Each structure stands twice: as structure tokens, then as C-alpha cells.
Amino acid sequence: MSTSRRPEKPSTVPQNLIPSSSPAFGTPVHPINPRRTAPIKAPPVLKPAVRATVLPIELPPATLRPLAFRTFTKKHNLTLTSSALAALASFIGKHCGSGWREEGLAEKVLEEVAKSWKKGSGLVIVEGGGETLKSILKALEGSMSGGRIVNGSNLSRQSSFNFGSDASAQNGSLSETRPAIDSHNSFGMSSLDVKDEDEDEENLKDPREWFKVIGAFEQPRLIYNVSQKHFDKSTSKPSLFPDPSHKTDLFRQRYHVVHQRILRNETFQAPTFSGARSATLSRTASISTSQTNTLTPIANLLGRSGTTHLLLGMLTVSPTGALTLSDLTGTIVLDLQHARPIPEDGAYFATGMIVLVDGSYEEDYANHAAGSSSTLGGSGGIGGTIGGKFIGFSIGHPPCERRTTTLGGTEETDRNNLTGPAFGWTDFLGVGSERATGSRMNRIASKLLAPDRRYNVVIASDLHLDIPSTLSALRTLLRTYSPDPTDPSPSYPLAIILTGNFSSKASLAGVPGAGSIEYKEHFDALASVLADFPHLIAHTSLVFVPGDNDAWPSAFSAGAATPLPRKQVPALFTNRIRRVVAEANKEVWGAGSGKKGGKEGEVVWTSNPSRLTWFGIKGEMAILRDDVLGRLQRTSIRFTKPSTEDEGVDAEDLPDATPAPPPLSTSTETQEAMDIDAPLSRSPRRGEEHQQQEQQQLDTDLLTARALTRTLLSQSHLSPFPLSARPLHWDFAHALNLYPLPTSVVIADSEAPAFVVKYCGCTVMNPGGIDGSQGVGKGREGRARWVEFDVKSGAGIVRAEG
């Protein structure tokens, strides 16, 4: 009998058995040999994406020059220096490699750099040694991959870059968020992209939205670079207690600006076809256009006794009391005994002014006979004074330069200038440059300014709030510009500028009746007057410019000349006026109505001096409250009158380099403003005598206004005096510059007659006292006088009402 056997289980573990701890998968009883176990593989690790790399090459700057010239100069009107070209060649060779030419990588990089430079800097010359280009390249480096700009669209829309050293160290790449616009930029003209520009044009439909008041302490400080022949923005922070060297820089910068302006004039550019040069001044004007003049440095007079020269320098007084002329090379004593001013009785010449002197040099032979030499620092001079003297034949102011010649624009440039616009890309006030924003501003202005309307700016001066007749005159002015409420299209002035002094006596200086309490009560009385015209103040901008009698400087100066510029009246005394304007806006516009029909009324307390700009670079008004005429008359040089055989030119003749300004307005309003104290009834004979006296007074005021205008605009400065006559804050003296020439200038001078004169395309105005008088408290009750300026036509007129 055979028996069957059940098969035995294998004693070994089958191959490729998947181990498991679950009974359902037949886990073997015997332990698993670890040597036969397949290793468990870890999940794959995802490697980071490798950034595309470029093999750097060494790109010579000369090879990149044609492409850079095409992009920067031909397309963007920028001048590329050799250092900037080397920096761009190094950057493109490192990040674009060999594909910089075939793939067009370099052209895109150059395009982005040019756009960023124009938006962030505004200068026409691209320098490689400064922080601006370094910051642009460093920001661009973080946005490149494989030689290409990854977020190129964002780059082209960046509004501005912070080119400071701190920002460049912290931000290695361009931020996709929009940086804050610089506080100096008005409306962001130099940094807005196309999309933002269109939005602004849609939202800002009121012309007052494009007006901006720029205080003296807010203006950017520009320094003229002699080697590069352009203006650089100062990197140092201005201070009220600067280094003593800044006092010298103040006058040095004034000289550089006038000197470069003269060299750009046609009469100082020698023709290439003639080597003959003449150094003479015309007897009929500042400079003769039929001859070519050459300036001689004062130091070059040594050893050239008996020769005639044309000098440019500043009138000063030496420690010995002699009148001298100084430039950057030396100083020489002037002999103006037989000199004649050009034009006769048409300008003022005082110490501190930069003038042209035509004459002959005469060495000091007496010192030569004694065995001394006439050299710099020798016995013939003191310090940098050259021995001998310069005998002047004629003396004149530097030729004035039109605004269109300096900045360019749509108007015709000066015909007497050969080089054309010099600083079209320079942003002098932080509102944009002419080349960058001029065409857009002209387009917006033509769209918003209706051709059949006047857009006036009203200027009144000497608002003595402690005199009742002044408040009555102010009511007359406000009533004139308050239209009928039933008028469907009322016309309001764009701005009403009220200049001090707001008190006839020095405030807070211990004068009886002029303390802090009384000073605040005077502004409260002004607020009561403004409250009676809610519709007017809700549709205009009130601008207040202080004087020397206002707080706080009058507390320690007692009304004397305080250093310019000076800050606004403290808000402690003016809070009620702000509340009145806010209540008027609420009453007229409604709570939360915003800007349904235009811009709400505002009140601006600004510095002295200050600037008013409209439509960016299109219009500019410089405002100064100072007694300039009296200071000129006290410090000016007196010349010997010529004999009858050698009669001088007519005082109304003007330089050939500039057109003659039109005469003062002879309308009834102007004539009444000049003669406010005339009797109402006269006999025929007395009437004829009075008419003759009136005409003589108008002629005298006309010559005074022209002389004052020509002096200030030719000097390109609102205060061309030494610091002993008119103190200035050294680091803020740039706020008084008149270069480039503004569209209009307001000289609120209580000692000068009211006038409106246009010279070299600039309208110069003096409103006189608002109560219609030259002195204090002499005006007639309710009589008001002011100046009305139309920003569209650039014309002004003296008005008198009441």
C-alpha cells in the first residue's frame, strides 16, 4: 500500500518577493535575508531651474560707439561721455556676450538705459563716473536673463529711480512697485509714463490744477559745471549754518552763469574767417553787434600797459576804499572818472554787480622806479590785486538772454545767438525740462485755456492790516473780481497774490501796538473781510508772501533787512484764514463734493522770494518783496555828466542784443494810479500845469522802471548786492537767480512807482501799495491799486479802482 505525500513547502524565499507586513499579501514566516532585499529608492529631488548664462566677452567701447550714438544721440538727444560709453560697453559685454550684435541684445539694453536716464536725471549729458548711471545699470542687472531683459515692459514704465547711494546699495533690482515721486517734482512731469499722463489729462481739467507755488526752500540747488558746461544737482544738503567756503561759492556761481551766458552771445564769438578782434563797447547800447568782443582776464593785464581791453568782473570796494573790479583771476583798481554808462541813465551800477568795462590798462610806474615789480601779491597790490589801474571808457551790463534761447521751445529763439538752446534738458525748478515736457504742456495749455477768456493772476502789495484804508482797498479789489452769482459762466482769477508787509510797524519787536496779540488780530480782521466773498475764495488760490516787518524775523531785526530767503508767516497767526477758506469751500462746493466743477479754493503761505509755475515749464513767475529801488539809489555809482560837445545817447535806447521793451501802459487806469492825490476840480490854467507835471512824472517813472528792469534782468539775480547791503542765506541764494529768465517777475517795492514793463520777453511788474499811495496811510478810503497779469498772453496792466 502506497501512501501519498503532500508536497513540502520550499525552505527558501522566492526571488523578487515583495515584502509586506500585511497577512493578505502572504508575508513569509521566515525572516527575509536583508542581502537579497532590493533597496528602496528615495523619491527624486527637484533641482532648481538653472538660470541661463552668458559667456562674457570683452567689448571695446569703440565697437559699441556707433550703436550707442544712434540710440542716445540720434533718438533721445543725449550726449554720451567716454566714461559712460566705457561703462556701457563693459556691462553689455558681461551680460549680453557674443549675441550683443547678432541678436540685438545691446540695442534693447541701451534703449532702457536711455529712457531711465531721461526719466530719473533730466540732464542732457550722460556721465559714467556718477552714481546715476551706476544705479541704472545695477537695477538693470537684476532684470536680465540670458542677455535679455525679462521684464522689459516694466522697465520702460518705471516712473523714476532713486539714484541715491543708500537706495542703490539696498535695491539690487528694479522694483515692480511704483516709487514715490520726488517732492520737488510738480505734477510728476519728468517721471510720469504715457498711461499716467493720459489719466492726468482726463482728471485735471481745471487750469488751476496745473498751477504750483514753489517756495525758496523747496527749489533744487543746481551748480554750474565749468568743465562740462552744464548744471549739476547739488549732492550736499543745504543748511542755514554752512561752511564758510559756501560764501565764496555764492559769488563764484553768479560769475560762472553770467560768463557762460556772455560767451554764448554772438558778439563774443569770433568768426572763423577773420582773426581780427575788437574789444569795444557801443555808445548806443550794451554791446555792438557789428564787432566781435574778446574778454580779457584781469591777471592777463600784467605787462600790457597802454593797451585797451574789455573786462568782465564784479564791482567791489577794496580795504583801502578804492573801487575795484574782481574776477576769478585777480582784482584791479578802477578809474571811472571819465567813464560813461551804457545806456545813459538807463541802468544802475552798484557794488556787487557783474559788469563789462571797456578801457585801458596803466601800469604803476612809480613802483617800478622804486625797484618793485607789479605782480600778483607784489608791493603794487594787496593780495590778488594787480598793481596799476584800469582807466574805464565805458561800462555796461552783460547782455540779457531770452528764455527761449536758454531753454528752447516753440517760439523763435534769439537771433543774436548762434548756439541755440543750451539747457533744454535741465530741470531748474523740479517741474520738468523743456525738452522732456514742453510739447505736452503746450498741448494741455492749448486744450484748457479758452481763446476768448482771460486767465488772470492778481498781485497786490503792502497789505498793511493795521491801517483801515488798506482793508477798504482790499474789499474793492475782491469786489472787482466777484462776478454776479446769476452769471452762468463766471470768471474768477486763477490766483490772488498778497504780499507784505502785513503790518506797517515791525511786529514782535517791542513796538507799542505791534505785539503778538495785535498781529494775530490783524489777520483775524483779514479773515472777516475774506468771509464776505465766499464764492471768490472758493474758486481761486490765495498766496501770501511775507515782508521784513512780519513774524518771526522782525522780532530781532526790528524791521531792518533780514537775510533772504525767509520763511512764511507762522500758522499760529493764520489759522482763522484757513478756516474761512475751508468753510467757503464747504458752502460753495458742498460737503464731500470734491471737484465736480473744478478745483476748490486754497490758501498758500509761502516764502520770500517764491515761484509760481503754470503748466510745468510753460510759465514761471518770480515773486520778491523787497525795497530794491531804494537800495540801488543808495549804493549806485554816480557818473560825471558828459559835456554838450559829446552828448550821450537817449536814455530810452536799449541794447542791440535785446529788443526795446514797450512803454508803460498809458491807459486811464495807469494814469490814475500814478496820480491818486490829484484834486478833483482845477482851473484851466492849473489843469494845464498839472497835465505837464503829470506827464513829467510819468516820464520819470518810466525811466525809473526801465532802469530797474534792465538792471535786475541783466544781472540774472533778484538781489545783486554785497552781503553787507542785503544779507542772504548762502546755501539758499540760488532761489534768487533769474536764469533762465522767468516768464514774469514781480518786484513788490513800496518805494518804486507802479509799473508794467516787458524786456527780453519777460514781464516785470510792481503793483505799488494796495491803497494807492507810496507812503503809509496816505491813500484815499476805498481806493485800490494792483497789477493784473494774463498768463495766456503774458501781458500785464496796472489797475486802479475806487
Side-chain angles (χ1 to χ4, degrees):
M1 180 175 177
S2 63
T3 60
S4 61
R5 297 172 116 189
R6 300 181 61 184
E8 297 180 1
K9 295 181 179 181
S11 60
T12 60
V13 179
Q15 296 293 332
N16 300 329
L17 183 65
I18 300 177
S20 176
S21 60
S22 174
F25 288 91
T27 304
V29 179
H30 304 282
I32 300 174
N33 190 354
R35 290 177 297 180
R36 299 181 180 181
T37 305
I40 301 176
K41 296 182 179 181
V45 179
L46 297 178
K47 297 182 179 180
V50 180
R51 191 173 184 177
T53 58
V54 174
L55 182 62
I57 64 171
E58 184 177 353
L59 180 61
T63 307
L64 185 65
R65 185 184 300 275
L67 182 59
F69 177 79
R70 211 162 43 239
T71 304
F72 278 81
T73 305
K74 292 294 184 180
K75 188 174 182 180
H76 294 280
N77 295 323
L78 297 176
T79 302
L80 200 62
T81 61
S82 57
S83 59
L85 180 62
L88 291 174
S90 176
F91 180 84
I92 292 175
K94 178 181 178 182
H95 295 88
C96 296
S98 58
W100 70 275
R101 186 198 299 270
E102 291 80 4
E103 302 178 16
L105 303 180
E107 186 175 359
K108 297 180 180 179
V109 173
L110 294 175
E111 181 74 16
E112 293 297 339
V113 172
K115 290 180 180 179
S116 301
W117 177 272
K118 289 175 63 175
K119 294 177 181 179
S121 174
L123 301 178
V124 69
I125 299 179
V126 182
E127 296 183 350
E131 294 294 332
T132 304
L133 184 60
K134 294 180 181 178
S135 301
I136 294 176
L137 296 179
K138 190 170 184 179
L140 189 61
E141 182 180 1
S143 303
M144 295 188 64
S145 176
R148 292 177 171 81
I149 301 175
V150 178
N151 52 345
S153 58
N154 287 338
L155 283 174
S156 60
R157 295 177 183 174
Q158 290 296 322
S159 62
S160 62
F161 294 99
N162 188 354
F163 296 125
S165 57
D166 297 338
S168 61
Q170 296 175 3
N171 301 331
S173 60
L174 290 176
S175 174
E176 295 186 6
T177 59
R178 184 179 183 89
I181 298 177
D182 187 5
S183 60
H184 293 306
N185 290 345
S186 176
F187 326 117
M189 290 298 105
S190 60
S191 59
L192 290 175
D193 54 15
V194 178
K195 182 178 178 180
D196 293 334
E197 290 176 358
D198 296 337
E199 292 178 357
D200 282 345
E201 294 180 16
E202 292 296 330
N203 297 331
L204 306 180
K205 294 184 179 181
D206 191 336
R208 288 182 52 236
E209 296 280 2
W210 298 95
F211 274 66
K212 182 177 178 61
V213 179
I214 305 176
F217 298 93
E218 303 171 1
Q219 298 181 23
R221 183 186 178 193
L222 301 181
I223 300 176
Y224 183 74
N225 191 327
V226 181
S227 59
Q228 300 292 338
K229 299 187 184 304
H230 69 90
F231 286 90
D232 294 329
K233 193 171 183 180
S234 176
T235 57
S236 60
K237 185 178 180 180
S239 172
L240 294 177
F241 303 97
D243 190 83
S245 62
H246 293 195
K247 179 181 179 181
T248 307
D249 293 338
L250 185 155
F251 296 100
R252 189 185 300 271
Q253 286 298 316
R254 279 187 54 197
Y255 180 86
H256 285 324
V257 170
V258 175
H259 184 257
Q260 65 86 23
R261 191 186 74 192
I262 288 180
L263 295 183
R264 286 170 16 87
N265 191 276
E266 181 184 13
T267 56
F268 288 89
Q269 296 177 357
T272 57
F273 55 85
S274 175
R277 297 182 180 182
S278 174
T280 58
L281 285 176
S282 171
R283 292 288 184 181
T284 59
S286 291
I287 296 179
S288 174
T289 57
S290 60
Q291 298 175 343
T292 301
N293 299 277
T294 303
L295 297 177
T296 302
I298 292 179
N300 291 4
L301 296 176
L302 292 174
R304 306 171 68 178
S305 179
T307 56
T308 59
H309 302 274
L310 181 62
L311 305 182
L312 175 68
M314 180 178 292
L315 293 174
T316 57
V317 177
S318 67
T320 59
L323 181 66
T324 59
L325 188 72
S326 301
D327 66 2
L328 300 182
T329 63
T331 305
I332 190 170
V333 177
L334 283 180
D335 184 1
L336 301 180
Q337 182 178 0
H338 304 287
R340 294 179 57 185
I342 299 175
E344 292 280 355
D345 298 330
Y348 295 97
F349 298 90
T351 56
M353 296 183 181
I354 300 175
V355 296
L356 289 166
V357 182
D358 177 27
S360 175
Y361 172 60
E362 181 180 313
E363 277 198 67
D364 190 0
Y365 291 102
N367 290 333
H368 277 290
S372 62
S373 59
S374 178
T375 58
L376 283 175
S379 59
I382 302 176
T385 304
I386 296 177
K389 61 182 178 180
F390 191 78
I391 302 176
F393 303 149
S394 55
I395 180 174
H397 285 282
C400 192
E401 185 176 274
R402 288 178 173 269
R403 182 180 179 88
T404 52
T405 305
T406 308
L407 301 177
T410 56
E411 301 179 5
E412 183 182 2
T413 57
D414 194 352
R415 297 178 180 178
N416 295 322
N417 187 272
L418 298 180
T419 58
F423 306 105
W425 284 108
T426 305
D427 186 2
F428 288 92
L429 293 179
V431 295
S433 61
E434 175 65 34
R435 299 290 295 273
T437 63
S439 59
R440 175 174 176 257
M441 291 296 103
N442 290 331
R443 175 169 50 86
I444 296 175
S446 61
K447 184 187 301 184
L448 297 183
L449 300 181
D452 56 343
R453 288 187 56 186
R454 288 179 58 89
Y455 296 88
N456 297 323
V457 174
V458 180
I459 307 107
S461 178
D462 285 340
L463 193 67
H464 298 149
L465 302 178
D466 55 339
I467 299 178
S469 61
T470 302
L471 296 178
S472 300
L474 180 62
R475 286 183 178 273
T476 303
L477 185 152
L478 298 177
R479 193 181 304 113
T480 303
Y481 295 98
S482 296
D484 188 359
T486 60
D487 190 354
S489 59
S491 178
Y492 297 96
L494 297 175
I496 299 178
I497 302 175
L498 303 176
T499 68
N501 299 307
F502 297 114
S503 176
S504 60
K505 296 175 287 186
S507 304
L508 314 178
V511 180
S516 60
I517 298 178
E518 292 82 0
Y519 190 66
K520 189 177 187 306
E521 289 176 350
H522 297 334
F523 283 104
D524 293 344
L526 174 61
S528 301
V529 175
L530 296 176
D532 296 337
F533 304 90
H535 287 273
L536 176 60
I537 64 177
H539 289 86
T540 187
S541 298
L542 299 176
V543 182
F544 291 86
V545 180
D548 291 332
N549 286 347
D550 295 313
W552 296 104
S554 61
F556 56 86
S557 66
T562 56
L564 290 177
R566 53 154 301 174
K567 294 186 177 182
Q568 66 274 9
V569 177
L572 173 66
F573 304 102
T574 62
N575 289 329
R576 186 171 179 181
I577 296 180
R578 301 176 191 273
R579 291 198 300 267
V580 167
V581 174
E583 292 174 359
N585 290 331
K586 186 177 180 180
E587 176 184 349
V588 175
W589 299 97
S593 62
K595 306 172 183 177
K596 293 181 180 179
K599 183 180 179 181
E600 295 181 350
E602 63 177 351
V603 55
V604 180
W605 300 88
T606 185
S607 61
N608 181 27
S610 61
R611 306 278 174 140
L612 176 65
T613 64
W614 52 90
F615 297 100
I617 196 67
K618 181 175 177 60
E620 173 189 347
M621 176 185 290
I623 308 169
L624 174 68
R625 170 61 187 98
D626 191 18
D627 296 332
V628 181
L629 180 61
R631 191 173 291 105
L632 284 174
Q633 294 174 343
R634 291 192 300 269
T635 60
S636 61
I637 301 173
R638 302 293 186 266
F639 295 94
T640 305
K641 292 293 182 180
S643 60
T644 56
E645 298 179 357
D646 185 18
E647 294 184 357
V649 298
D650 189 0
E652 296 185 3
D653 290 338
L654 292 176
D656 293 340
T658 53
L664 293 177
S665 175
T666 57
S667 61
T668 305
E669 295 176 346
T670 305
Q671 294 178 1
E672 291 180 356
M674 295 297 177
D675 184 26
I676 56 174
D677 293 329
L680 297 179
S681 61
R682 313 178 183 89
S683 61
R685 185 175 180 181
R686 293 288 297 174
E688 294 178 359
E689 294 178 356
H690 181 77
Q691 289 179 1
Q692 294 178 358
Q693 296 177 359
E694 185 181 74
Q695 186 62 35
Q696 293 177 358
Q697 183 64 32
L698 286 175
D699 294 341
T700 303
D701 294 343
L702 173 63
L703 296 178
T704 301
R706 286 183 170 179
L708 176 61
T709 298
R710 183 185 290 106
T711 301
L712 294 182
L713 299 192
S714 299
Q715 292 295 314
S716 296
H717 205 270
L718 289 171
S719 182
F721 305 104
L723 297 181
S724 58
R726 191 27 153 166
L728 300 177
H729 291 297
W730 303 341
D731 278 4
F732 297 96
H734 62 276
L736 286 86
N737 291 336
L738 293 179
Y739 189 82
L741 203 63
T743 308
S744 58
V745 177
V746 176
I747 305 295
D749 192 341
S750 60
E751 300 179 2
F755 64 85
V756 176
V757 173
K758 196 166 187 179
Y759 183 65
C760 289
C762 176
T763 305
V764 181
M765 302 167 284
N766 178 36
I770 189 176
D771 58 352
S773 64
Q774 297 289 344
V776 176
K778 297 181 182 179
R780 195 173 63 192
E781 186 73 21
R783 183 73 172 235
R785 182 177 61 187
W786 67 90
V787 166
E788 183 180 279
F789 177 74
D790 185 12
V791 300
K792 186 175 60 176
S793 62
I797 187 173
V798 178
R799 295 197 56 178
E801 297 288 344

